[in-house]
Amino acid sequence: MSENIPTKNFIQKIIDDDIKNGQQNLKFRFPPEPNGYLHIGHAKSILLNYGLAEEYDGSCNLRFDDTNPSTENQEFVDSIKSDVAWLGFNLDKDPLFASDYFEKLYEFAHELINKELAYVDSQDQETIKLQRGTLTKPGINSPFRNRDKETNIQLFQQMRNGDFNEGEHVLRAKIDMSSPNLNMRDPTIYRIRKITHYRTGDKWNIFPMYDFTQCLSDAIENVTHSICTLEFEDHRPLYNWVIENIDLNCKPKQIEFARLDLSFTITSKRKLHTLVTEKKVNGWDDPRLPTLKGLKKRGITPTILERFCKLVGVTKKDALIDVSLLETCARDEFDKKAPRLMAVLDPVKVIIENLPENEEISIEAQNHPKDKTFGTRKLKLTKEIFIESTDFEENPPKKFFRLSVGKSVRLRYGFVITCTRIDKDQNGNINTIYCNYIPKTLNGVNPEGQKIKGIIHWVSASENMKLKVNLIDRLFSVAEPNRENDFLTALNPTSLVEMANAIGETNLLEFVSQTVQFERLGYFTVENQTIGSDCLVYNRTITLRDSWGKMKKN
RNA sequence: UGGGGAGUCGCCAAGUCGGUUAAGGCAACGGAUUUUGAUUCCGUCAUGCGUAGGUUCGAAUCCUACCUCCCCAGCCA
């Protein structure tokens, strides 16, 4: 994939303008709520914010937006921290927490009450909802809207003290119940929650709402550009209202961009949760998932993600990105970086009849076809070998360049063999394929008078190791599982195929720490915890392009 | 329906104070090279910019109207 012309996205243009107008010390932030695992959509946001910080010589905070004690916990904090670190950010910095600002936020709320811009409403949730009006009908004022300052301060203090039950009172901003923007109809900014917060414990009985917390946390941190997704666009007037009405020396600018949506997968927190809890996948780090943990386990690297996000771009248009772009980015990276080795996923035995029993042909194979710095490795070509079952056909279709009776193929890095006959068991399955090798065809030399087009991979029957290989494919079989009535019915039944009888060349042992290419099959990554065990487990990170497979389909 | 956004090739995305043949990538399709049917290379791929009018010598870019899609009525974020 060649480099495209770097043009600035709309956010960079806004920032350029701000700088032209004298702004300096740029600061950004990535503000996840610790109530779930990060996925590829978050990666876009992280890369955007930290990328902007680097580009403009500014900085970026990782701040946990933890104002809802009922859904948040430390486990999510830890996993998010490790994911951000995996992407290469916030490495030697401690993360920040909105919950550390609770005291300040409380004071800011006071400021609003003092300015008569906030009041305690003592109606129940249902009543408040009814008074809010609808999309087309304006809301009506709460009877408590004009409570005097002193009562409000007293009540708010009591809310904090825990004198009331959940739902008895809320603190509301006094804005405009007839605003066409629902967010401006006296939004709740504090509610009572008598739940233990994973960080502040039982210290607080009241918790600030997002709209009050986000903007003020940004201001406290001197964030200059607060970048969020499109659904917060109509919260911006409220964001600005809070910033304007509280005495601050920082006025962050909120900018919204379109979140990343990928075809053939799902990024909704709720749906990911369903997949995990209903055991449709094996945990949050299942390699079929678009979670960062899953992507990592599958073998996708931060640099692939970085390249991918760069190509995707940043706009305000709801876009569905084709997974093939991610796949191409992965292939691009691994084509350059992955050593080539051989493994056979579904082995069939081949006996080379004209090769003496104990003869071992020693072969020095390139670890990378285009890059000598990868070095070479030794391979032993023996009388008995295994080849891929799909590389033999009894009734070969047209243009089948592989093995069939009477046909010849080259063994990768080895000589040319010709199939003489096959041996089947009583069920008709092929037991053994018998071949003869053609002498003097090593090192790519063609046999007299013919050109061998087919080259197949193989593994020696006497020198190999057992492998378990997970063939990972797209999780869904439709491009937009979100559009299905029940997204679970769109799951791809073959998204995970376990090849339990796979074998590989023993040289694989030297390359367990990196993604390798199994020649002609794809790129595969070892599951870390199986290193050192008697059977390595590999996940297929991505297939190679397969023009033959495509041709067969058509 | 009120408000807020967005509409440029199958998927993304440049281009926007109007001016050569509307970048680039992905996908697709041809072809060349190839000890991976991989990689690489070369070629094809929008008389068209949501639609309809208008302004203009000239419009994706300006004006008008309309259409479609997304978001908002949590004491979630």
Side-chain angles (χ1 to χ4, degrees), chain A residues 128-146:
Chain A
I128 291 176
K129 181 177 178 173
L130 256 27
Q131 291 172 353
R132 186 152 27 233
T134 67
L135 294 180
T136 48
K137 265 190 302 207
I140 56 170
N141 288 167
S142 162
F144 298 100
R145 196 170 200 261
N146 292 314

Side-chain angles (χ1 to χ4, degrees), chain A residues 73-202:
Chain A
N73 65 239
Q74 188 62 39
E75 178 201 342
F76 292 129
V77 169
D78 294 338
S79 100
I80 290 170
K81 254 163 71 178
S82 67
D83 282 342
V84 173
W86 178 60
L87 289 175
F89 303 112
N90 224 259
L91 263 17
D92 35 81
K93 258 169 54 181
D94 284 330
L96 273 16
F97 296 86
S99 53
D100 282 344
Y101 308 145
F102 281 173
E103 196 64 52
K104 278 184 191 160
L105 260 18
Y106 179 78
E107 283 162 25
F108 287 142
H110 255 274
E111 187 177 335
L112 247 27
I113 294 172
N114 274 320
K115 290 176 177 168
E116 306 204 318
L117 289 173
Y119 62 97
V120 172
D121 196 340
S122 306
Q123 305 180 101
D124 61 40
Q125 196 168 176
E126 192 56 29
T127 308
I128 291 176
K129 181 177 178 173
L130 256 27
Q131 291 172 353
R132 186 152 27 233
T134 67
L135 294 180
T136 48
K137 265 190 302 207
I140 56 170
N141 288 167
S142 162
F144 298 100
R145 196 170 200 261
N146 292 314
R147 267 222 264 237
D148 63 274
K149 203 189 294 182
E150 287 67 31
T151 309
N152 280 321
I153 288 173
Q154 169 69 17
L155 253 18
F156 190 45
Q157 178 63 245
Q158 285 182 279
M159 283 168 66
R160 174 177 181 165
N161 292 347
D163 295 349
F164 306 119
N165 293 320
E166 287 189 13
E168 280 191 67
H169 308 274
V170 290
L171 185 70
R172 293 228 257 165
K174 192 191 285 189
I175 309 179
D176 178 8
M177 287 307 288
S178 63
S179 170
N181 180 346
L182 290 290
N183 297 120
M184 301 300 269
R185 321 241 262 229
D186 289 11
T188 298
I189 55 177
Y190 265 93
R191 77 288 212 186
I192 298 170
R193 275 287 171 283
K194 299 207 162 178
I195 305 176
T196 303
H197 185 279
Y198 77 102
R199 288 189 81 242
T200 60
D202 296 322

Side-chain angles (χ1 to χ4, degrees), chain A residues 3 63 123 154 179 194 241 248 254 268 270 282 353 357 370 381 393 426 429 435 453 456 492-493 510 524:
Chain A
E3 200 63 39
R63 177 178 72 232
Q123 305 180 101
Q154 169 69 17
S179 170
K194 299 207 162 178
W241 184 93
L248 300 159
Q254 174 177 307
S268 132
R270 204 198 92 241
N282 307 311
E353 294 189 282
E357 193 74 44
K370 288 183 294 192
L381 184 43
E393 282 286 349
Q426 57 268 50
N429 297 317
C435 295
K453 193 137 194 192
I456 63 173
N492 173 6
E510 291 166 41
F524 296 79

